[in-house]
Amino acid sequence: MEKYFQQDGEASFVLFSLVHLITLAALLLSIVCIYLFRKTLRKERINLMVRVAIAAILILSEISLHVWLWRIKEWTIQYSLPFHLSSISVILSAAAILTRSFPLFEFTYFAGVGSALQAMITPDISAYTFPHFRYVHFFISHGGIVVANLFLVLVEKYRPTLQSLWRAFLYLNIYTLFVFILNDFIKGNYMYISAKPVNPSILDYLGPWPYYIFSLELIALMTFFILYLPFWLIKGRQK
């Protein structure tokens, strides 16, 4: 059991390996099940139980990461606070599904789902694979963001608007500015906006600092429009 929680995994993650594809398929299956049973999930008691369960899984996944980092003596104020976009999206997605908050949903659908999908397709967990804790945690937390927000879309019938997209983009930039100031104050690198990560990443192809930040802005905006596209098409078809 100890080997599943050690600092260095026994096997490295392989992109689009059988394990990776099965994990992505499991997430897709979860979403399909939410869609197929959406009417049942709208029943008051079942609805509350499922929303609380999803929120609890998200919060426990975040807590477990901090416990693990502390246990392997890797927790630091510069890198371990919940200020990365994935961590804040986990917390806000849990709050959104628990409270049915549409303003929170506007942010977590675009910023949370967008970043979570990209992270799961190209994960930055090169030293870990299933069944190591870090692998399991990574996909539960990121997959949980997607599940929570699509639950609000498919079951609660939430529909983001074009105004939602621009509000989410504005909030993301305000949050990025806050994190940039925080990074300078504590000498951290949350959201990798103060420096590129040490491990190879997509940022290596986006130019030097600070120019890659502007590339990330364009990628984020494009991702937001892709996430809005299904609702735009449905709206146009209804008209």
Side-chain angles (χ1 to χ4, degrees), residues 2 5 22 47 53 81 84 86 97 103 106 124-125 135 146 151-152 210-211 230:
E2 180 69 22
F5 295 91
I22 290 175
N47 182 281
L81 293 171
H84 281 295
S86 57
I97 194 170
E106 286 184 311
D124 183 22
I125 48 170
Y135 179 94
V146 178
F151 183 95
L152 292 172
Y211 301 108

Side-chain angles (χ1 to χ4, degrees), residues 13 15-16 20 116-125 138 202:
F13 173 81
L15 187 65
F16 300 132
H20 186 200
L117 287 175
Q118 291 181 40
M120 286 187 291
I121 294 172
T122 56
D124 183 22
I125 48 170
F138 183 92
I202 191 175

Side-chain angles (χ1 to χ4, degrees), residues 137-148:
H137 162 268
F138 183 92
F139 282 97
I140 285 180
S141 61
H142 288 82
I145 293 170
V146 178
V147 167

Side-chain angles (χ1 to χ4, degrees), residues 11 13 35 37-38 41 76 141 160 169 175 182 238:
F13 173 81
Y35 175 76
F37 296 101
R38 62 192 183 281
L41 292 170
T76 64
S141 61
F169 190 65
Y175 180 69
L182 176 71
Q238 288 174 343

Side-chain angles (χ1 to χ4, degrees), residues 20 30 32 42 48 50 87-88 90 97 123 144 164 198 204 210 235:
H20 186 200
S30 300
V32 170
R42 288 176 188 141
L48 178 60
V50 173
S87 292
I88 199 66
V90 164
I97 194 170
S164 300
V198 177
D204 296 330
K235 187 176 180 180

Side-chain angles (χ1 to χ4, degrees), residues 8-229:
D8 297 313
E10 292 187 338
S12 298
F13 173 81
V14 178
L15 187 65
F16 300 132
S17 62
L18 181 60
V19 169
H20 186 200
L21 293 176
I22 290 175
T23 304
L24 295 176
L27 172 64
L28 180 60
L29 180 61
S30 300
I31 296 168
V32 170
C33 287
I34 291 174
Y35 175 76
L36 293 176
F37 296 101
R38 62 192 183 281
K39 292 182 180 179
T40 302
L41 292 170
R42 288 176 188 141
K43 295 180 180 179
E44 185 175 353
R45 186 171 181 179
I46 296 175
N47 182 281
L48 178 60
M49 290 174 60
V50 173
R51 286 191 296 109
V52 169
I54 294 173
I57 290 171
L58 285 168
I59 295 301
L60 288 174
S61 73
E62 184 65 21
I63 293 173
S64 69
L65 175 63
H66 291 274
V67 171
W68 179 69
L69 288 172
W70 189 271
R71 183 173 177 270
I72 65 173
K73 297 180 173 58
E74 287 291 321
W75 197 99
T76 64
I77 193 172
Q78 287 79 19
Y79 299 101
S80 305
L81 293 171
F83 289 122
H84 281 295
L85 185 57
S86 57
S87 292
I88 199 66
S89 294
V90 164
I91 296 169
L92 293 181
S93 292
I97 194 170
L98 197 59
T99 63
R100 291 170 167 167
S101 169
F102 187 79
L104 284 178
F105 165 77
E106 286 184 311
F107 179 80
T108 57
Y109 175 74
F110 287 109
V113 173
S115 62
L117 287 175
Q118 291 181 40
M120 286 187 291
I121 294 172
T122 56
D124 183 22
I125 48 170
S126 57
Y128 307 102
T129 190
F130 186 83
H132 193 279
F133 162 79
R134 187 69 182 95
Y135 179 94
V136 175
H137 162 268
F138 183 92
F139 282 97
I140 285 180
S141 61
H142 288 82
I145 293 170
V146 178
V147 167
N149 284 277
L150 290 188
F151 183 95
L152 292 172
V153 170
L154 299 172
V155 178
E156 303 296 339
K157 300 181 180 180
Y158 283 14
R159 299 293 183 264
T161 64
L162 188 58
Q163 289 74 23
S164 300
L165 185 156
W166 289 114
R167 276 193 290 268
F169 190 65
L170 173 63
Y171 298 153
L172 178 61
N173 278 273
I174 293 173
Y175 180 69
T176 301
L177 177 60
F178 162 75
V179 171
F180 183 80
I181 296 171
L182 176 71
N183 284 340
D184 185 64
F185 182 71
I186 65 174
K187 306 305 177 186
N189 191 24
Y190 292 104
M191 293 179 65
Y192 302 120
I193 55 175
S194 298
K196 292 183 180 181
V198 177
N199 296 328
S201 70
I202 191 175
L203 300 186
D204 296 330
Y205 303 96
L206 301 181
W209 186 92
Y211 301 108
Y212 71 80
I213 297 176
F214 300 105
S215 299
L216 288 175
E217 288 270 348
L218 292 175
I219 291 173
L221 195 55
M222 288 173 58
T223 302
F224 285 16
F225 274 105
I226 291 171
L227 289 172
Y228 177 67
L229 182 61

